[in-house]
Amino acid sequence: MTANAALFAPLICTGRVEETHDTATFTFRAANQSPFAYKAGQFITFEVEVADQKLHRAYSLSSSPCQPDQVAITVKRVPGGKVSNHLLDHLRPGHMLPGMAPAGEFNALDCPRTDKVLLFSAGSGITPCISIARWLLANGPGCEIDFVYSARNADQVIMAAELDRLAAQDERFRLHRVLGQPAREGDLQGRLDRALFDRIVTEVAGKTLFTCGPESYMAAVVEFAHARGMPAELIHQESFVPASANDAGASSGAQFQLQAPRFGKTVTVTDGQTLLEAMESAGLPVIGACRSGVCGSCKCQLLAGEVEASSTATLTEDEIVAGYRLACSSTIRSDLVVEL
Amino acid sequence: MFCVQCEHTITTPTAKGCSYTQGMCGKTAEVSDLQDLLVYALQGTSFYAEQARTFGIVDRAVDAFVPQAFFATLTNVNFEGERITGYARQAQQYRDLLRERYLAACVAAGKTPTTPTAAAQFELAADHAGLLAQAPEAAVNRGKESVDADVMGLRLLCLYGLKGAAAYMEHARVLGQQDDSVAAEFHRIMAWLGSDPAELAALLNCAMEIGQLNYRVMAMLDRGETEKFGHPAPTQVNVKAVPGKAILVSGHDLCDLKLILEQTEGTGINVYTNGEMLPAHGYPELNKFKHLVGNYGSAWQNQQKEFADFPGAIVMTSNCLIDPNVGQYGDRIFTRSIVGWPGVRHIEGDDFSEVIACAEQQAGFLYEEIPHRITVGFGRNALMNAAPAVIEQIKQGNIRHFFLVGGCDGDKSERSYYTDFTQAAPDDTVILTLACGKFRFNKKPFGDINGIPRLLDIGQCNDSYSAIQLALALAKEFDCDINELPLNLVLSWFEQKAIVVLLTLLSLGVKNIRVGPSVPGFLTDNLLAVLNQEFGLTTIGTVEDDLATMLQKSA
């Protein structure tokens, strides 16, 4: 069950920095020394073998495209997180990981944007936001950035020194730390609520908002921005939370048959399962990178049967008509015949 | 051709066995026919080896040669017609020498020589066309028109079982282990099978004798390996690549691995084990080499992809070899001993410089992958050392049941049973494993029971001897019969080594073994019924049903 090898290039880990007790930043160079071409905010999908299983996960790049020789990802330990925890436990400088080319629509070039940017992030959602910030500071002379970062306490602030450095060096970069337990003067206390949002964002006119973090966090940020009258086209959100966790479709407990004729497989699946989970359990070589309907890596074609689709983000109209779906964002509701 | 010795032989609703222009293994009809002639010639040699012994005439060279050449006909070993013919002619030269000495001894003693079997009288044709014309006479199913199907099935069970034992005898001999009485028993059975026996009870008895013979051979092999390389100890093995030039050693021959390690020491070339060579890491005298860096790949049926991806030289020391041209690595794979493939370089003697030069010319691994370490080396001694702790955990109720899940791997999708079985086994059960069937699950996390790993890798297929010793020790400790232990055997078979291990287990009285993924093509429904009745032998069912049945025993 090897994914298409041509999609992956060997990336060599060149460094590892412990950011917090449960988070580390890893830097990579391409094994063939070629520079990386990407847009600030994009991610790379890595292939990681965990317990004899090849898994694919997307990690946002925290580095800036201005320094194309290396890329960096920041990984946080999560309960039950197979890949992230494996990388934190085992990945060291010198190790090779296969990675796909950078991709993703959540980025500073493709998303409609103004010069004044609000970057709202929490936890490991900081990664695409700091990449966008670094790139804008280098390439947008007229830019103004409000960088709002939420964490439980100061010890959990990822890239704390880098944030302080940017704030100290560049007056266009304003840092707002929102901490459950403030640690120093200027830290804002509590969870990000409407009052706190309004306190930080005094004016919305002419501003663009990017947000990345847990689903509930982003939903709140987007709601506050809407309430303040920000136009929808200037509000952008990223998400790497598994679609199944978001949408956990209610299950009737009914059993269905999932067939993949080209792979000679027929397995029993349960109503409410995501198609991606079912295909992975059946040992089908599907790549589920972002697992949230963003990256498009798990595109597959339904030859028969229907699913409940929560995202068709990367699919064209023609593809949808032809039965293509994103496996991660498809909840099984009937017998299915599927092709990769 | 007619060949039905392995698990992926052609099976149709009406017929079983490969009988067209090529076997499922890739063996041509011509090579298959020559192998039949070789086996028939060897049965003739064994006839005189047996007779000569009545006068105390023992030729160690013959005792070594016959099992070795027989091994060449095992599945996925030798696909070179010329070498098979060479072995057959050598067999008849040895037969003629023994016959001469035997007849002379008869004359001297005033005895009438025993009437030779047809196999002992058989003369190979002088040329290739003549040999092929003779093949039907030597076919393994010769006389099938007039012989009862059950008789034929038992003949083949015995022949293939003895072939497996022969392979282990050759492995033992390489380690300096030969035994005159074992050789005598081997020749007796080989010669008898050459007489085309037709009595069911005698054949069934012979199958048990082969099992018993193999038990002694496995003990010799165990002794040879542990005396030469030390007792295996639990050892962590990296199953991921490290940067550098590389040689991959596959098959079973630990002596070849040691020679390669000695000759590559200090060259910067890293050595990896493949398949059944994995247990080598547990032996102190092999593990001491720092450049034995890890294990690469999985079971034999994946070699056409895995070897193709291996950026170095490859040495195949014994079975299983499959067509190297599919993956286009025929120019960097080497065969040893009885192994052969047309056009592939064969290394005679102890000099591996050609292999080393080949490895130097290849790119080698360029990068280090994230290491993944698995534990091997639960051989006889390690198991015995762990036995008191294991017994304590059983008594405390922390270990409920043992499963021995092992045997050969293959490419049928039904073999996912074995992966599923180990994954479904409850947390308070321990899984012993051996042979290449383990590659379906040995990289998965199993955890431990108060420090005792839930997955214990005992070693190669022949290390089933260690598993038997553990079972005997547990039976003694709990003062019960081996069949009363909370232990079930779930075996996977592919070739003839697995057949003989099964015969050994049956001959030791081990009952209720489950075998899969399918029934050997040479066994009739009647014979299966007999094996079920006598030994409780069954084929695998569904994981859920099988587990439920087995665990009832320890409920």
Side-chain angles (χ1 to χ4, degrees), chain A residues 10 12 31 49 51 90 95-96, chain B residues 240 367-371 443 445:
Chain A
I12 310 293
E49 202 174 311
H90 301 288
H95 291 159
M96 184 277 289
Chain B
K240 291 290 169 186
Y367 322 112
E368 180 174 9
E369 295 174 52
I370 295 178
K443 295 178 182 113

Side-chain angles (χ1 to χ4, degrees), chain B residues 385-425:
Chain B
N385 290 341
V390 169
I391 288 163
E392 190 53 37
Q393 293 301 323
I394 298 170
K395 286 180 175 166
Q396 287 179 13
N398 298 324
I399 296 179
R400 174 164 46 138
H401 206 91
F402 293 86
F403 301 107
L404 175 69
V405 186
C408 324
D409 204 2
D411 55 7
K412 284 191 179 167
S413 58
E414 298 91 304
R415 287 179 186 264
S416 61
Y417 170 93
Y418 297 95
T419 318
D420 297 342
F421 185 94
T422 59
Q423 298 304 291

Side-chain angles (χ1 to χ4, degrees), chain B residues 3-9 25 27 35 39 70-77 156-168 210 214 319-320 408 461 492-504 520 522:
Chain B
C3 183
V4 67
Q5 65 179 353
C6 77
E7 196 262 340
H8 71 163
T9 194
C25 61
K27 177 167 74 173
Q35 289 184 347
V39 172
F70 197 13
F71 187 6
T73 69
L74 194 114
T75 302
N76 292 336
V77 171
L156 292 174
L157 174 66
C158 290
L159 184 73
Y160 295 148
L162 191 63
K163 187 182 289 191
Y168 290 138
I210 292 167
N214 188 59
N319 57 310
C320 292
C408 324
C461 49
S492 51
W493 88 280
F494 184 78
E495 38 79 330
Q496 302 82 60
K497 286 177 172 175
I499 294 294
V500 80
V501 169
L502 177 65
L503 292 181
T504 297
F522 48 84

Side-chain angles (χ1 to χ4, degrees), chain A residues 2 10 12 31-32 48-49 51-53 86-87 90-91 93-97, chain B residues 239-240 243 305 366-372 413 439-445:
Chain A
T2 305
I12 310 293
N32 64 5
V48 185
E49 202 174 311
D52 211 20
Q53 216 187 346
H86 183 78
L87 293 178
H90 301 288
L91 183 61
H95 291 159
M96 184 277 289
L97 275 186
Chain B
V239 295
K240 291 290 169 186
K305 171 159 195 335
L366 301 177
Y367 322 112
E368 180 174 9
E369 295 174 52
I370 295 178
H372 177 186
S413 58
F439 286 102
R440 288 189 174 262
F441 48 81
N442 72 339
K443 295 178 182 113
K444 297 191 181 295

